[in-house]
Amino acid sequence: MFVYPIPNKDNGYSLFMKTGLAHIELTISLVQKNTINAHFRIKKNSNEIFDQLYSQKDTIESEIGMALEWDKGENKKISKFGKTLDIDINNKYNWEKAIGWQYNMASKLRNVLLPKVKDLN
């Protein structure tokens, strides 16, 4: 499905797709509330890619089955869109739900976005 998950110091994994333009990032944030995230991150200086995908926002959200959070990342190194789930990660009874949610979101993002990103190359 993905190339390789790369562990990093920022409490998350990046799942690289078969494109150098972007990747799917799964994170857990205990510092900023109790949240988990699944975002499609677009590399620095790729605002035109974000804009092209944003022009398909309604279609993308329809295919994924929910509204997404879109952040063009003005004055930042990346732009991204995806979803955040508020969940108490400290409660071990939520771990299975959290992992399942991230897997499901990563799969949806990959399946919907990979063909669209390939068309942008």
Side-chain angles (χ1 to χ4, degrees):
M1 174 189 278
F2 300 104
V3 180
Y4 292 104
I6 308 295
N8 62 51
K9 63 181 171 47
D10 298 322
N11 63 7
Y13 284 95
S14 293
L15 307 173
F16 291 91
M17 297 180 5
K18 294 178 182 176
T19 176
L21 301 173
H23 64 273
I24 295 173
E25 181 177 73
L26 305 175
T27 59
I28 298 170
S29 179
L30 299 173
V31 176
Q32 305 170 347
K33 302 183 261 182
N34 271 321
T35 61
I36 58 174
N37 305 292
H39 286 109
F40 187 75
R41 290 176 53 118
I42 302 167
K43 285 187 173 184
K44 179 179 173 181
N45 302 325
S46 297
N47 283 340
E48 63 192 46
I49 295 166
F50 180 89
D51 291 341
Q52 290 174 5
L53 291 170
Y54 190 78
S55 73
Q56 302 176 56
K57 176 182 183 282
D58 292 339
T59 302
I60 290 169
E61 290 180 343
S62 175
E63 291 175 10
I64 289 176
M66 67 186 71
L68 300 174
E69 302 145 2
W70 296 78
D71 179 9
K72 189 169 182 176
E74 298 292 343
N75 302 317
K76 295 182 183 175
K77 293 181 181 180
I78 56 101
S79 54
K80 65 183 178 180
F81 58 94
K83 200 71 174 169
T84 299
L85 178 69
D86 293 325
I87 190 167
D88 183 2
I89 300 300
N90 293 311
N91 182 342
K92 68 179 181 179
Y93 297 108
N94 288 335
W95 294 353
E96 188 173 334
K97 177 182 177 182
I99 292 167
W101 182 87
Q102 280 192 320
Y103 175 82
N104 185 43
M105 283 302 302
S107 296
K108 285 181 180 183
L109 288 169
R110 184 220 182 258
N111 292 339
V112 169
L113 296 170
L114 186 57
K116 293 174 180 9
V117 172
K118 281 184 178 178
D119 290 343
L120 299 178
N121 287 338

